[in-house]
């Protein structure tokens, strides 16, 4: 009756992606830019998250 590692890591990953989407939505970037970043984060979670950390809107 232990916690499954894959399930726990998946939950943590989901929380990180949701956090990134919320940060993008609250950023001062333009509407189209926000929409594109959110779509990238949702459809390409790993690559999108890395790209967002490196290139995404700051603030």
């Amino acid at each position: 009756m232990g916690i499954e590692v894959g399930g726990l890591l998946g939950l943590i990953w989901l929380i990180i992606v949701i956090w990134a989407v919320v940060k993008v939505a609250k950023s001062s970037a333009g509407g189209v830019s926000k929409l594109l970043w959110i779509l990238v984060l949702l459809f390409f979670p790993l690559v999108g998250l890395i790209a967002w950390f490196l290139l995404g809107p700051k603030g």
Side-chain angles (χ1 to χ4, degrees):
M1 271 194 349
I3 296 176
E4 296 224 10
V5 175
L8 182 60
L9 291 176
L11 180 63
I12 292 170
W13 187 256
L14 179 64
I15 291 169
I16 291 171
V17 171
I18 290 172
W19 172 78
V21 168
V22 169
K23 293 289 282 185
V24 168
K26 289 183 177 182
S27 74
S28 60
V32 174
S33 178
K34 286 182 187 182
L35 178 64
L36 290 176
W37 275 115
I38 290 172
L39 289 175
V40 167
L41 286 167
L42 292 177
F43 288 111
F44 308 104
L46 179 61
V47 175
L49 196 59
I50 293 170
W52 177 73
F53 276 130
L54 297 175
L55 307 170
K58 309 292 187 238

